[in-house]
Structure formats: C-alpha cells, structure tokens
C-alpha cells in the first residue's frame, strides 16, 4: 500500500506515531529535505519512534522511507489529470476530439492505477489465486463485464473461475466456498451490504479473499486478506459513464492475470493450445 495512504489511515499507530504521521502529511513539501534528527525535533519524538513507524509501513528505515516518499511525489505529479473522468468531453466537441479525450482518459487512468500498485502485493495476489482450487468473483453491473473478461482468461489457463453474483446465486456460492478456494470482490465504492455479509462469513471461516476497490475506508477493504486500490476519481451519480472505474478495473485484472500466467509460463502456454488438439479428430492412418 502507498505510504501516504497508510499515513492517512494510521492503522494501529501509537500516539507518537500519529503525531509523526500528521506532521509528514501537513509538511509534504519540506519532508524530502529533512533528516531523521530534524523530523524527531519537529515532532517532539525520537529516532526510535520514527524508525518504528517506518517499520510499520513495511520499510527498513528512514532512508528507504524518504526514497519511497520521493517516488510517490514524482508519480503524483506525473499523474495529474487534464481530463475530467466524470465528463471527459463536452457538447461542442467533434467526434475526433471526443476520441482524443477518451484516449487521454484511458492513459491517465492506467498511469494513476499503476502508482497504486505494489510489487509484493501483486505477487501475493497472483500466488493466492494460482494456488486456489476455485476462484469466485463477486461483481455486478458494469464491473461484472470486467469480471467475465477476467474469468474468460482464467479458464484458458485451466483455472476454475465462477461469477458468484450471476443469476442471484451469490449466497449459495458463498456458503459452498472452502479454505482451498479464493474469492475476489470487484467493487468501486465497496459499500454493498451483500459483499460485506459475504466478507464477514469468509473472515469467520478463514476463507481467503481479495478486494479491488477505490474505497480505502470501507469495511470490505479492512476485512480483506489482500486489497488492491484503484484511483477514486468518479462521482457516484454525476457522470456520463463509468469510464475511469472500468478502465482501472480492466487494467488491474489484466495485470493480475499476467502475474498468474507468469508463475507457470510454459505450462500455461501449453494449456492455451491443449483444447484444440484434444477435440480435433485424429486422421486415420492408411
């Protein structure tokens, strides 16, 4: 998870750590020019308190913290959008101008989504799905279209994937999952009571599940074993269409699929071709 996001949410922080996090978020512009002694003095804390905070963020120490913080600042600067994701084009624009705006929105959404990605998180997600006996995907509306595309790819590399929310049978699927399976929730706002109910059941039964969402503070995200975030750029109702959210979901799912494929690259190449060989009748030998 991104450093600034973790500092904002302050998961399990002590009072000293909350004080350090608050200072960093308030003085982002000057942080890259401070050393650990200056930060400790400014926050009335100690070197050890700062180092404990960096360890909670999954980093080795203050030096790695500053390097990663600088990278996040650079990525944030590069991903400032010039296109409104809710209304990417106006009434007076020509069809070619509309095409240009949509192309820019797609690129900027993927660039932003990339800044949310983490190497270890992607590796853990791919490994969990690769090892799962069955994969159940929870998605409705436009997101279910993205889920079906992901399901289609998984089937081609011999992964058992089911859209759990199809035909309103999510409760039956939820009750039938085991610890050998894995679930994925694909939800932009993460507020569906149905999803939270299923996630609470999975948590109680120790069934692993992954959430892909733009909602950092949702109960669903907090319950998840692994959570991959996408940019939260769309308004809930005031928009032309779900362009940005669905571009982000498609991109993240394609990345996850590619990481799964890579785990058993040669085997998966073979799986993609096998059905055509096995169903093609053999020519009788003369």
């Amino acid at each position: 998870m991104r450093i600034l996001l973790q500092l904002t949410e302050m998961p399990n922080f002590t009072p000293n750590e909350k004080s350090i996090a608050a200072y960093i978020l308030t003085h982002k512009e000057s942080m890259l020019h401070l050393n650990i002694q200056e930060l400790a003095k400014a926050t009335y804390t100690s070197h050890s308190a700062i180092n404990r905070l960096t360890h909670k963020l999954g980093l080795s120490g203050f030096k790695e913290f500053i390097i990663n913080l600088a990278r996040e600042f650079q990525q944030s600067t590069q991903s400032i959008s010039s296109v409104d994701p809710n209304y990417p084009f106006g009434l007076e624009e020509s069809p070619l101008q509309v095409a240009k705006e949509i192309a820019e929105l797609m690129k900027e959404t993927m660039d932003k989504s990339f800044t949310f990605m983490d190497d270890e998180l992607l590796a853990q997600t791919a490994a969990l799905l690769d090892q799962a006996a069955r994969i159940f995907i929870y998605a409705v509306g436009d997101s279910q279209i993205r889920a079906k595309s992901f399901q289609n790819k998984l089937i081609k590399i011999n992964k058992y994937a089911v859209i759990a929310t199809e035909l309103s049978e999510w409760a039956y699927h939820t009750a039938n999952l085991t610890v050998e399976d894995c679930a994925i929730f694909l939800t932009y706002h993460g507020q569906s009571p149905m999803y939270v109910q299923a996630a609470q059941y999975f948590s109680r039964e120790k069934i692993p599940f992954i959430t892909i969402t733009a909602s950092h503070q949702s109960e669903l995200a907090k319950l998840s074993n692994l959570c991959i975030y996408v940019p939260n750029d769309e308004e809930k109702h005031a928009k032309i269409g779900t362009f940005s959210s669905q571009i982000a979901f498609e991109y993240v799912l394609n990345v996850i699929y590619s990481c799964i494929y890579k785990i058993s690259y040669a085997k998966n190449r073979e799986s993609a071709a096998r059905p055509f060989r096995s169903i093609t009748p053999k020519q009788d030998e003369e």
Side-chain angles (χ1 to χ4, degrees):
M1 189 188 296
R2 298 171 70 200
I3 292 173
L4 292 175
L5 181 58
Q6 291 184 78
L7 292 173
T8 302
E9 295 183 349
M10 299 186 183
N12 305 316
F13 284 8
T14 66
N16 270 353
E17 290 163 353
K18 287 181 179 179
S19 175
I20 298 166
Y23 183 89
I24 294 168
L25 292 170
T26 307
H27 300 83
K28 295 178 188 175
E29 294 77 9
S30 59
M31 269 306 303
L32 300 183
H33 305 289
L34 292 182
N35 58 40
I36 191 169
Q37 291 86 355
E38 290 167 333
L39 180 59
K41 183 178 179 181
T43 56
Y44 302 99
T45 59
S46 63
H47 293 196
S48 58
I50 294 170
N51 281 321
R52 281 195 297 272
L53 174 60
T54 63
H55 294 158
K56 279 191 178 180
L57 298 173
L59 304 169
S60 60
F62 186 73
K63 184 177 180 181
E64 186 181 3
F65 169 79
I66 290 296
I67 291 171
N68 280 270
L69 192 64
R71 185 181 297 122
E72 278 195 23
F73 287 160
Q74 182 182 22
Q75 290 170 341
S76 298
T77 303
Q78 291 172 345
S79 63
I80 294 174
S81 178
S82 60
V83 182
D84 183 345
N86 300 295
Y87 293 93
F89 54 87
L91 177 63
E92 304 300 325
E93 294 184 8
S94 69
L96 193 59
Q97 286 174 315
V98 171
K100 182 175 182 293
E101 298 288 357
I102 294 298
E104 289 182 3
L105 177 61
M106 292 179 72
K107 183 179 184 304
E108 289 179 359
T109 299
M110 287 190 288
D111 285 345
K112 281 186 179 181
S113 298
F114 176 75
T115 67
F116 280 75
M117 291 187 172
D118 175 84
D119 192 64
E120 184 178 353
L121 177 58
L122 287 173
Q124 291 175 345
T125 300
L128 184 57
L129 292 171
D130 184 60
Q131 293 163 13
R134 300 177 299 175
I135 298 167
F136 290 82
I137 309 169
Y138 291 70
V140 296
D142 292 347
S143 298
Q144 192 172 107
I145 299 171
R146 310 283 84 75
K148 282 183 172 292
S149 175
F150 184 57
Q151 177 195 36
N152 179 263
K153 292 182 180 72
L154 291 174
I155 289 170
K156 289 175 180 174
I157 57 171
N158 200 28
K159 299 295 179 187
Y160 188 102
V162 176
I163 307 296
T165 43
E166 199 167 32
L167 305 176
S168 301
E169 295 179 341
W170 70 273
Y172 294 101
H173 286 304
T174 299
N176 287 322
L177 263 76
T178 74
V179 293
E180 303 298 323
D181 302 319
C182 184
I184 303 175
F185 291 96
L186 192 64
T187 167
Y188 196 67
H189 296 289
Q191 297 172 347
S192 167
M194 172 180 73
Y195 290 170
V196 173
Q197 185 180 349
Q200 289 171 340
Y201 172 79
F202 293 150
S203 293
R204 290 196 305 270
E205 299 299 320
K206 310 298 182 187
I207 295 167
F209 64 98
I210 299 158
T211 297
I212 303 172
T213 185
S215 179
H216 303 147
Q217 298 290 348
S218 68
E219 184 177 359
L220 182 61
K222 293 174 182 177
L223 286 168
S224 301
N225 298 89
L226 299 170
C227 193
I228 297 177
Y229 295 109
V230 296
N232 190 0
D233 290 336
E234 283 185 357
E235 297 292 337
K236 194 164 187 178
H237 301 294
K239 56 190 172 188
I240 292 174
T242 55
F243 296 119
S244 180
S245 61
Q246 298 311 307
I247 292 165
F249 282 156
E250 185 80 19
Y251 173 64
V252 170
L253 289 172
N254 280 338
V255 170
I256 293 172
Y257 168 75
S258 300
C259 291
I260 296 169
Y261 192 104
K262 188 174 69 69
I263 292 172
S264 304
Y265 197 91
K267 177 184 173 183
N268 288 328
R269 286 191 65 175
E270 177 71 14
S271 294
R274 187 184 305 126
F276 298 99
R277 291 201 299 268
S278 61
I279 64 175
T280 302
K282 293 183 179 178
Q283 298 293 327
D284 292 334
E285 294 182 3
E286 294 183 358

